Amino acid sequence: MLTELFKTEERAIILHYVMFRKSFRAVDVSRDTGVTKGLVSRYMHILEVHGLLKKRGREYSPQDGPRSRAIRLLLNLERIDLSTFSLGSARGIGIYGSWARGTNDQESDLDVWIKADSLPEQNILARLQRDLSLQTGSEVNLLMLTPERLERLKIEDPPFYHSLMMNCVTLKGEMLEEYR
C-alpha cells in the first residue's frame, strides 16, 4: 500500500492536500495543487479503496483510522526540518498533541516541547517558534520542560502529564521518557 500511495511526487502532493482538510472535491484538489483532474480523480479513488477517504456525492473527506493517523504523522514529520536549528542548551525537542497523534487538520496548531535543564534565552525560543511556524504554516506553541516543571505537571496536572508522556514524538535529542 505505501509504495502505491507515495509512488510519484504528484501523489505525495495530493496526499498532503487531502489528509489535512475536512472536505474537498477533485476539482478543488486539482486547482490548488496544479495536478491534472484526471490524475487527482484516479488517485483519490485509490485512497478511497484503501479506506483513507470517504466519498459522498462529489465531496471527499479523510477517514479517521490508524492508517490515516499514521500517514498524517509521517506527513507532519516531513514538514518539520530541525537540521538547521541549534538546540543551544536544550537536551531534546519534540511534538505532542494532534500533530503527534496524526489527528491534526489544516487549522491545528503545532505543540512543541523542549527539554532543558534550564530555560534557554528568549531570543532563541522566539526564533525557533517563528522558524517552525514559517516551515509548517501553523501557529506554534512552545512548552519548556525542565525537570522541576515536569515534576510539577506530574503532581498538579496528572492527565496532561500522562497524555504528554504517552503521545509525544521526539524529533531531536533526548526523549521525554528519560525524565520519568
Side-chain angles (χ1 to χ4, degrees):
M1 176 175 111
L2 287 177
T3 304
E4 189 173 18
L5 292 182
F6 294 101
K7 194 174 196 174
T8 66
E9 187 175 337
E10 289 84 2
R11 286 185 177 194
I13 291 168
I14 296 167
L15 189 61
H16 189 273
Y17 183 94
V18 302
M19 292 306 291
F20 297 102
R21 284 175 170 66
K22 292 183 183 6
S23 66
F24 44 86
R25 296 174 304 146
V27 68
D28 301 325
V29 178
S30 176
R31 180 191 64 235
D32 294 347
T33 63
V35 179
T36 66
K37 188 173 181 270
L39 182 57
V40 167
S41 295
R42 285 190 301 276
Y43 184 56
M44 287 174 47
H45 177 72
I46 291 169
L47 296 174
E48 185 182 7
V49 167
H50 285 296
L52 298 173
L53 294 182
K54 186 174 195 170
K55 185 177 182 184
R56 287 197 181 119
R58 292 183 179 198
E59 291 271 320
Y60 288 87
S61 59
Q63 284 286 87
D64 187 35
R67 284 183 176 167
S68 61
R69 288 190 299 270
I71 288 169
R72 268 194 219 101
L73 175 57
L74 182 62
L75 293 170
N76 289 341
L77 295 174
E78 175 83 11
R79 291 168 64 187
I80 302 170
D81 178 15
L82 291 176
S83 65
T84 60
F85 298 119
S86 168
L87 290 180
S89 64
R91 294 174 38 197
I93 185 169
I95 60 175
Y96 66 100
S98 63
W99 276 60
R101 291 188 307 271
T103 58
N104 57 306
D105 61 31
Q106 66 188 30
E107 297 170 12
S108 299
D109 58 353
L110 170 58
D111 298 312
V112 176
W113 57 262
I114 300 171
K115 178 181 173 180
D117 291 325
S118 61
L119 296 177
E121 294 179 32
Q122 200 60 33
N123 64 334
I124 292 173
L125 294 176
R127 187 175 31 240
L128 175 65
Q129 188 173 24
R130 183 200 67 217
D131 291 349
L132 283 173
S133 182
L134 289 172
Q135 238 181 43
T136 62
S138 296
E139 181 180 329
V140 175
N141 302 309
L142 299 179
L143 175 64
M144 288 303 308
L145 296 171
T146 61
E148 298 80 23
R149 175 87 191 269
L150 271 169
E151 276 305 310
R152 266 197 335 273
L153 281 174
K154 191 181 212 179
I155 294 165
E156 296 171 7
D157 195 352
F160 176 75
Y161 173 82
H162 291 294
S163 174
L164 177 64
M165 289 298 157
M166 298 303 296
N167 297 303
C168 72
V169 175
T170 302
L171 301 174
K172 190 173 185 179
E174 295 179 9
M175 298 177 3
L176 279 183
E177 292 81 21
E178 294 175 17
Y179 266 155
R180 285 191 210 176

